[in-house]
Amino acid sequence: LTGTSREQRAFQYVLTHAIPGDPHHILQTFDQWCYHCEHLSCVGPDKGRIVERVLLERAPLRVLELGTYCGYGTVLLAQGLPPGARLYTIEGDPRHAAVAEKVIRLAGFSEQTVELIVGPSEEVIPHLREKHGLMNANLVFMDHWKRCYLRDLQLLESHQLLAEGATILADNVLFPGAPHFLQYAKTCGKYHCKVHRSRLEY
């Protein structure tokens, strides 16, 4: 009826109620909207704690996020980066990317810290090195279409974009599920796998 998308409505709420330059408060404001107004498929606070723990343990200098959506996960990742680290995030939907760009900058992250790349992941990944300067990633956070998880992991492998000892953190592999990705990760012999149990967001 308003002619605006759920994502745009959520951003307007965040813009009105969140403290600019305060990533933690911006995430909390998103959570308030999602709990009490409209559901968005953001990472959410429960799974967010898993992401924060992995960031703390790994202290990655080069992070790649697949699936920016509204920028919730991007802000979550960016606020946990060690000094001098850089985050590259890929979003295939230009409308979502437009919202995410505003959210990321509202949180106080510059283009030097967070680079948002708009385009289908299968087209962007092969050009990350020459076009965007990402030699390899220490941490990859997958939160886009589940059917793309395996394809994109293998793309990252074939283009040698995974640093030695890199961590792949993939959301929702059990539900709605990414069975082919999970089977590959467990059986290909390249990875040590751990499943983090959690509730669905909100």
Side-chain angles (χ1 to χ4, degrees):
L1 290 174
T2 63
T4 59
S5 67
R6 268 190 311 176
E7 294 78 18
Q8 289 170 319
R9 291 194 292 273
F11 172 69
Q12 286 304 318
Y13 180 83
V14 170
L15 189 61
T16 305
H17 295 90
I19 301 168
D22 186 335
H24 183 67
H25 194 257
I26 283 171
L27 295 178
Q28 281 186 324
T29 309
F30 257 117
D31 293 335
Q32 288 298 310
W33 173 266
C34 294
Y35 276 124
H36 303 296
C37 300
E38 293 180 279
H39 177 270
L40 295 175
S41 54
C42 302
V43 178
D46 292 334
K47 291 189 286 187
R49 282 188 280 274
I50 297 170
V51 176
E52 288 172 334
R53 190 168 70 243
V54 171
L55 283 167
L56 195 62
E57 290 170 359
R58 301 294 179 182
L61 288 175
R62 296 174 303 280
V63 178
L64 175 64
E65 179 186 32
L66 302 179
T68 317
Y69 189 41
C70 289
Y72 184 106
T74 315
V75 171
L76 180 68
L77 289 164
Q79 73 170 356
L81 292 176
R86 186 164 170 77
L87 169 60
Y88 302 80
T89 182
I90 301 172
E91 174 53 49
D93 188 325
R95 294 165 302 176
H96 294 162
V99 172
E101 180 80 44
K102 295 172 190 172
V103 169
I104 294 163
R105 306 311 167 208
L106 184 68
F109 298 109
S110 69
E111 290 183 11
Q112 282 67 47
T113 302
V114 179
E115 181 178 349
L116 173 59
I117 305 164
V118 184
S121 55
E122 72 273 20
E123 294 177 14
V124 173
I125 288 171
H127 303 289
L128 280 172
R129 184 172 286 118
E130 61 267 27
K131 281 192 176 180
H132 303 280
L134 176 60
M135 301 311 291
N136 51 42
N138 307 112
L139 173 68
V140 179
F141 181 49
M142 293 187 166
D143 195 17
H144 56 326
W145 294 108
K146 312 312 158 206
R147 68 178 187 276
C148 301
Y149 278 18
L150 178 56
R151 180 202 67 196
D152 287 352
L153 176 60
Q154 292 176 329
L155 266 178
L156 290 168
E157 290 173 349
S158 65
H159 288 275
Q160 299 178 319
L161 285 165
L162 298 176
E164 188 176 345
T167 299
I168 315 294
L169 190 58
D171 194 15
N172 297 328
V173 294
L174 298 180
F175 181 85
H180 299 299
F181 166 85
L182 206 54
Q183 182 184 23
Y184 176 79
K186 287 180 175 178
T187 61
C188 72
K190 299 175 185 176
Y191 304 100
H192 299 288
C193 292
K194 180 179 179 181
V195 175
H196 300 268
R197 299 279 174 178
S198 182
R199 297 183 299 175
L200 285 174
E201 58 276 356
Y202 312 115

